């Protein structure tokens, strides 16, 4: 049985004995990797089984970015017209510039130059890339997540978090137009991604803070859940075997039953600072696989190498013995994480391959 087949069997919770690992490095950590190994391909060096294929959104704005105001040299503008001002220290943090922040009416949203779903050439290229990678025994994922999210995330990046949350209560026509536009684009993008026959389709919408969710279950079920359900349904109609991986930081465990109901197969990142991974496994482990579980707010930056190894072994023993675990730090590895802790995680996780 090849690695790809073993990965898919584990994520479908059909067999134990193999626990895949993952890790993502910020640029300063990638520089450390190169200094240590003499190259920059950490995915191959550390036997990461999953590879991503891109399916970009064609932009429709003409480069006239007046709605963003004055932007710095560190700012890039994505196909959705959202400004991203990168941090100076090489971390993943950024300041967002919201192009619809000043909108007051739904017609202003309607007039906005939203991007289009992927074009035919991009889909063709993605299909060829998926086929080639799978032929080399890699697991392949395509992210439907525009600007890092699927429904809630792109809407708030366009509008601004506070504005959008207020709209959901006090400006329903604007919120309806915005969510409908985002959902329509991402539903079609999911269909196109699924037509490429990847093993995984990745969705994301951060729904939780450190303590609770951004919104009540009622607001989630009215505004967010229907769009996510449409995206997942669109993908699985085209490619029923595809696994849906969903990312949400924070204490969002109250939404897990809703996510399972609409077809999420793998949940990331299971932040141990916000929820207990073993509780999630005990409650939902028969229908949901866990992806993450090693804290990047606590253990990775502040633990010793021995503590990193010990926690990795504990998670794999408790959570992955019967499949259903994809072990990983819960976010990208920030610049302050000691290099020895990264190696300790890789060493420990590799024992379960």
């Amino acid at each position: 049985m090849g690695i790809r087949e073993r990965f898919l069997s584990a994520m479908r919770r059909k067999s134990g004995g193999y626990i895949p690992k993952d890790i993502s490095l910020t640029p300063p950590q990638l520089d450390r990797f190169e200094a240590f190994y003499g190259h920059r391909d950490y995915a191959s060096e550390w036997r990461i089984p999953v590879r991503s294929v891109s399916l970009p959104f064609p932009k429709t704005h003409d480069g006239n970015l007046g709605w963003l105001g004055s932007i710095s040299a560190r700012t890039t503008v994505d196909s959705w017209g959202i400004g991203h001002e990168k941090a100076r220290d090489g971390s993943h943090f950024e300041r967002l510039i919201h192009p619809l922040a000043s909108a007051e009416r739904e017609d202003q949203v309607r007039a906005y130059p939203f991007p289009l779903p992927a074009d035919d050439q991009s889909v063709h290229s993605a299909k060829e890339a998926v086929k080639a990678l799978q032929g080399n025994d890699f697991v392949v994922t395509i992210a439907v997540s525009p600007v890092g999210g699927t429904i809630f995330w792109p809407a708030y990046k366009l509008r601004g978090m506070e504005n959008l949350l207020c709209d959901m209560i006090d400006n329903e026509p604007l919120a309806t137009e915005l969510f409908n536009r985002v959902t329509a684009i991402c539903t079609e993008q999911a269909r196109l991604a699924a037509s490429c026959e990847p093993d995984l389709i990745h969705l994301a919408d951060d729904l939780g803070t450190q303590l609770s969710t951004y919104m009540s279950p009622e607001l989630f079920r009215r505004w967010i859940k229907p769009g996510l359900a449409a995206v997942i349904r669109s993908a699985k109609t085209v490619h029923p075997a595809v696994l849906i991986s969903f990312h949400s930081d924070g204490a969002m465990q109250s939404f897990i039953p809703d996510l399972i109901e609409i077809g999420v197969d793998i949940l990331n990142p299971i932040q141990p600072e916000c929820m207990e991974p073993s509780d999630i496994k005990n409650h939902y482990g028969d229908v949901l696989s866990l992806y993450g579980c090693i804290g990047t707010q606590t253990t990775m930056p502040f633990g010793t190498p021995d503590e990193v190894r010990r926690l990795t072994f504990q998670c794999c023993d408790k959570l992955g013995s019967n499949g259903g675990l994809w072990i990983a730090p819960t976010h990208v590895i920030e610049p302050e994480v000691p290099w020895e802790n990264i190696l300790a995680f890789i060493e420990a996780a590799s024992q379960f391959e």
Side-chain angles (χ1 to χ4, degrees), residues 120-345:
D120 291 344
Q121 182 56 51
S122 294
V123 173
H124 175 76
S125 297
K127 286 181 178 179
E128 293 299 310
V130 168
K131 186 185 301 183
L133 287 165
Q134 290 173 338
N136 286 314
D137 204 27
F138 289 112
V139 180
V140 181
T141 183
I142 296 179
V144 175
S145 308
V147 296
T150 308
I151 303 296
F152 179 61
W153 211 341
Y156 95 68
K157 288 187 176 183
L158 287 162
R159 180 78 173 115
M161 174 74 79
E162 184 175 340
N163 288 338
L164 182 63
L165 291 173
C166 290
D167 293 339
M168 291 160 67
I169 298 172
D170 290 334
N171 194 343
E172 294 188 7
L174 190 153
T176 298
E177 182 67 30
L178 181 54
F179 280 124
N180 284 350
R181 292 297 300 272
V182 170
T183 298
I185 294 167
C186 294
T187 299
E188 175 62 9
Q189 187 78 349
R191 185 188 71 81
L192 296 172
S195 75
C196 301
E197 298 190 348
D199 302 297
L200 307 173
I201 285 181
H202 183 65
L203 311 179
D205 270 326
D206 277 350
L207 301 172
T209 70
Q210 290 292 110
L211 301 176
S212 185
T213 55
Y214 282 115
M215 66 196 77
S216 68
E218 293 75 20
L219 286 174
F220 170 75
R221 289 168 188 151
R222 176 177 181 187
W223 293 105
I224 313 301
K225 183 179 177 181
L228 288 174
V231 169
I232 294 170
R233 186 167 56 249
S234 179
K236 291 200 172 187
T237 297
V238 172
H239 185 22
V242 74
L243 294 172
I244 302 296
S245 170
F246 183 84
H247 165 89
S248 172
D249 290 332
M252 46 66 67
Q253 49 267 52
S254 61
F255 293 158
I256 292 177
D258 293 278
L259 297 173
I260 293 170
E261 178 189 327
I262 62 176
V264 169
D265 301 294
I266 302 167
L267 184 64
N268 168 268
I270 318 294
Q271 280 185 268
E273 300 88 358
C274 305
M275 63 178 78
E276 175 51 55
S278 60
D279 288 346
I280 307 302
K281 180 72 173 182
N282 290 338
H283 279 92
Y284 308 110
D286 58 334
V287 292
L288 187 71
S289 292
L290 279 55
Y291 170 20
C293 301
I294 305 297
T296 52
Q297 294 176 318
T298 50
T299 304
M300 291 304 296
F302 301 118
T304 65
D306 282 344
E307 288 169 337
V308 172
R309 274 188 288 268
R310 188 180 312 119
L311 179 62
T312 303
F313 277 122
Q314 288 174 351
C315 284
C316 289
D317 284 337
K318 291 181 179 180
L319 308 176
S321 59
N322 296 314
L325 177 65
W326 183 359
I327 192 73
T330 54
H331 215 296
V332 296
I333 301 299
E334 302 290 1
E336 68 270 17
V337 173
W339 176 247
E340 294 77 15
N341 286 4
I342 299 172
L343 295 180
F345 166 75

